[in-house]
Amino acid sequence: MDIHLGVIPDGNRRWAKNRNLLEYFGYFYGAKKMEKFIEWVIDLDIKKTTIYALSEENIKNRSKKELNIIFKLMNYYLEKLKRKKEIYEKEIKISFLGNLKELSEKMEEIMEKTKDNKNYEINFLVNYSGYYDIIQAIKKIKNIEKIDRDILKSNLLIKDDIDLIIRTGGYSRLSNFAPLQSSYAEIYVLNKYWPDIEKEDLIKAIEWFKKQK
């Protein structure tokens, strides 16, 4: 399916709180669900997916303890992802986009290993914000006097417009997720926390999107 899907996987902490569990379990089950979600995207033949994994605001505002939990889980799943046969058999290109300085070297390894894969693209936005994306693009443009829409777009981290955004957790805001690339995106708000999302929810969102004009 030739669409660019955006995903804002919200609600891990609220999911844990509603079950009287520590926040760790929200992130743990959220990460497990992300692994399943990637399988669903490939099963449904969605060619390009961009996932808001960790925002710049998350890095700034979350406690060190919480960030340590997130990074430990991220490293565990990055190692798992790197060894996953399907990534190479199905030619899935994995990219991590954002301010990646001082973050996991495993991200660079996975990007290098999958850079020539052509069937599917999965982008994870890490330490990302729309402001960061736009500012870094402007800094790359040498002749600022000649800047136009096409030049700006070609220097953004996310090059292609997003067609459909799925946000879990019940909130309808974009939260600084790719504002330029999402200018004309349809937004599908799911009143479920991220760990509760199922493949049927993704299918319903796609069917809903097909009906929009």
Side-chain angles (χ1 to χ4, degrees):
M1 188 182 305
D2 193 18
I3 71 164
H4 186 178
L5 174 65
V7 184
I8 304 176
D10 192 27
N12 292 318
R13 293 192 300 173
R14 286 178 286 154
W15 181 89
K17 186 177 180 181
N18 282 358
R19 287 163 175 75
N20 295 315
L21 298 171
L22 296 173
E23 286 177 353
Y24 166 82
F25 290 100
Y27 292 122
F28 175 76
Y29 284 103
K32 285 187 71 158
K33 187 55 60 91
M34 183 60 70
E35 191 175 23
K36 295 296 294 179
F37 188 84
I38 292 169
E39 291 175 11
W40 301 340
V41 162
I42 304 306
D43 285 346
L44 294 171
D45 199 34
I46 297 169
K47 296 299 183 184
K48 185 172 292 189
T49 305
T50 296
I51 299 162
Y52 207 4
L54 191 63
S55 73
E56 202 173 44
E57 288 81 7
N58 290 153
I59 298 280
K60 288 177 182 173
N61 299 328
R62 299 285 165 91
S63 68
K64 283 187 178 179
K65 181 181 176 183
E66 195 173 344
L67 287 172
N68 282 337
I69 290 169
I70 292 169
F71 286 129
K72 279 181 182 177
L73 277 171
M74 191 179 285
N75 281 331
Y76 170 76
Y77 277 100
L78 284 171
E79 188 61 37
K80 202 172 175 184
L81 192 63
K82 191 172 73 173
R83 298 170 186 273
K84 207 172 176 70
K85 288 189 304 181
E86 290 81 0
I87 297 293
Y88 309 99
E89 290 171 354
K90 297 186 178 179
E91 289 215 29
I92 304 167
K93 180 182 178 181
I94 308 266
S95 297
F96 298 91
L97 308 175
N99 186 357
L100 303 181
K101 291 176 186 174
E102 299 178 11
L103 294 180
S104 176
E105 290 179 5
K106 288 187 177 73
M107 294 179 191
E108 295 291 343
E109 290 174 28
I110 293 169
M111 286 196 285
E112 182 61 29
K113 283 192 168 187
T114 66
K115 66 180 182 182
D116 296 322
N117 292 346
K118 301 203 184 306
N119 286 345
Y120 300 95
E121 287 183 41
I122 308 282
N123 301 317
F124 291 98
L125 304 187
V126 181
N127 198 10
Y128 173 93
S129 74
Y131 283 113
Y132 173 80
D133 197 355
I134 295 163
I135 290 166
Q136 67 81 38
I138 292 169
K139 284 179 177 178
K140 286 193 287 188
I141 298 168
K142 292 178 182 176
N143 190 346
I144 207 72
E145 296 297 324
K146 290 189 176 180
I147 190 170
D148 61 17
R149 180 175 175 160
D150 291 336
I151 291 171
L152 180 60
K153 192 174 178 180
S154 68
N155 284 283
L156 292 169
L157 295 172
I158 306 165
K159 305 274 188 271
D160 302 314
D161 290 340
I162 295 169
D163 302 301
L164 167 65
I165 297 169
I166 297 174
R167 176 165 187 151
T168 57
Y171 297 141
S172 57
R173 59 178 176 262
L174 284 176
S175 299
N176 220 342
F177 172 73
L180 293 183
Q181 300 90 335
S182 301
S183 297
Y184 290 96
E186 300 291 342
I187 302 174
Y188 187 89
V189 178
L190 192 61
N191 288 309
K192 283 184 173 183
Y193 299 132
W194 176 252
D196 289 329
I197 192 173
E198 296 297 341
K199 189 175 183 179
E200 291 72 23
D201 297 312
L202 176 57
I203 292 169
K204 283 180 184 175
I206 297 295
E207 291 303 316
W208 173 85
F209 172 74
K210 286 177 180 176
K211 295 174 185 173
Q212 306 311 305
K213 294 183 182 178

